[in-house]
Each structure stands twice: as structure tokens, then as C-alpha cells.
């Protein structure tokens, strides 16, 4: 496991969208948020790449009234 620290994608907008199940700030699932600190840096970097693909595919999140 690499010792290189990868910066968390969290941007302090921590609201889970009820429909998508994704955080409106970082687009991670609750499981991905919980597991982040335990992932190897290689897995963290892979997740960051996945988040960029999610962001591009989604365009924008659903309206705020779906937030829990």
C-alpha cells in the first residue's frame, strides 16, 4: 500500500440526495465516504477518477427538495 496521501474529495457540502444516494458535494455514496480513509492511495485515486466520470455524466444534481 502506498504511503502517498490523497486529498479527500469532500468539499463540506455534506447532504445525501434521496434519489441518487450520492453526496451533493463530492458525489460519493455513503459507503465510499465511510471507506475513504481505509482505501489505499491507488484505490482513492481510482475513486477520484470515477467521481469525475460521475460529475460529467450527471451534469447537475436533482433539485434540493430531494435532500435528506
Amino acid at each position: 500500500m502506498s504511503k502517498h496521501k490523497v486529498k479527500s474529495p469532500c468539499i463540506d457540502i455534506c447532504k445525501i440526495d434521496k434519489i441518487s444516494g450520492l453526496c451533493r458535494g463530492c458525489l460519493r455514496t455513503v459507503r465510499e465516504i465511510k471507506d475513504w480513509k481505509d482505501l489505499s492511495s491507488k484505490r482513492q485515486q481510482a475513486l477520484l477518477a470515477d467521481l469525475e466520470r460521475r460529475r460529467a455524466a450527471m451534469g447537475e444534481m436533482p433539485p434540493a427538495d430531494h435532500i435528506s
Side-chain angles (χ1 to χ4, degrees):
M1 176 164 52
S2 173
K3 300 286 184 190
H4 177 70
K5 207 151 169 91
V6 178
K7 187 177 184 313
S8 169
C10 179
I11 59 170
D12 293 325
I13 301 173
C14 305
K15 301 284 184 189
I16 302 299
D17 182 80
K18 290 179 183 179
I19 294 173
S20 69
L22 300 175
C23 173
R24 290 186 58 88
C26 66
L27 298 182
R28 291 182 291 173
T29 65
V30 171
R31 171 58 59 199
E32 290 167 338
I33 293 166
K34 288 179 180 179
D35 289 348
W36 177 261
K37 67 183 178 302
D38 296 323
L39 297 175
S40 68
S41 62
K42 184 175 180 178
R43 292 290 301 139
Q44 288 175 335
Q45 291 168 345
L47 179 54
L48 289 176
D50 287 344
L51 296 177
E52 286 303 314
R53 285 189 286 275
R54 272 181 212 167
R55 191 171 307 285
M58 292 181 78
E60 68 179 61
M61 294 290 287
D65 61 342
H66 294 289
I67 300 174
S68 58

